[in-house]
Amino acid sequence: MKHLALQHVQYVPKQLESGILYVSREFAVAAHLCACGCGNKVSVPLGQAEWTLSERDGRATLRPSIGNWQLPCRSHYLITDGRIDWATGWSDEQIAAGRQTEERRREAYYKAREPRLGFAARIWAALLKFLGLRK
């Protein structure tokens, strides 16, 4: 497979067609059949802490790359302007390191969005924790 056509949907269909990238903005997900042709469904969550989708002239770009490490094919590619750009495979060590990096990125993203407690609220939370009334 060399290209994926972009199709906006509300719900991702149960049966996917080869060569189509289905995108549900409402449910923040993109799905397609693996570009290697193995027939496996690949779904990725969309969002600032996950994969990002951009469009230009009706063609989609997804970032970061798609690494199908859990599939038997272990294919790895980028989707850029609807084009499949094949990437090198990763070792088990590279996969583990990549997953750790993704998790740290997500944690940093969500931590930066946590509401900041004022001084009195922090004292109250510490007291409740000390008394064993809150974790």
Side-chain angles (χ1 to χ4, degrees):
M1 184 179 314
K2 295 182 184 217
H3 294 89
L4 289 172
L6 176 62
Q7 184 173 339
H8 287 280
V9 295
Q10 181 176 11
Y11 302 105
V12 173
K14 288 183 182 182
Q15 296 295 318
L16 304 184
E17 290 184 39
S18 181
I20 298 177
L21 177 66
Y22 299 90
V23 173
S24 170
R25 291 225 185 249
E26 182 175 349
F27 295 102
V29 68
H32 63 285
L33 292 178
C34 183
C36 80
C38 69
N40 283 295
K41 183 177 179 178
V42 176
S43 297
V44 296
L46 300 175
Q48 290 184 339
E50 303 293 344
W51 276 262
T52 58
L53 173 77
S54 60
E55 296 178 43
R56 186 173 62 165
D57 298 327
R59 297 183 309 262
T61 295
L62 272 180
R63 290 293 183 270
S65 63
I66 305 292
N68 294 322
W69 315 127
Q70 75 285 4
L71 298 177
C73 67
R74 291 176 60 113
S75 60
H76 184 207
Y77 49 90
L78 291 125
I79 301 171
T80 306
D81 284 331
R83 185 183 66 248
I84 303 296
D85 293 323
W86 290 96
T88 59
W90 283 9
S91 68
D92 290 339
E93 293 78 20
Q94 288 172 307
I95 294 167
R99 287 179 176 156
Q100 288 175 347
T101 298
E102 287 176 5
E103 187 58 30
R104 284 192 300 272
R105 184 175 45 84
R106 282 187 199 99
E107 286 173 0
Y109 174 83
Y110 288 112
K111 184 174 179 137
R113 279 140 190 82
E114 287 178 358
R116 304 276 185 215
L117 297 177
F119 179 73
R122 288 195 311 266
I123 295 295
W124 182 250
L127 179 62
L128 290 176
K129 185 176 181 180
F130 176 76
L131 295 174
L133 299 173
R134 185 180 286 168
K135 291 183 179 183

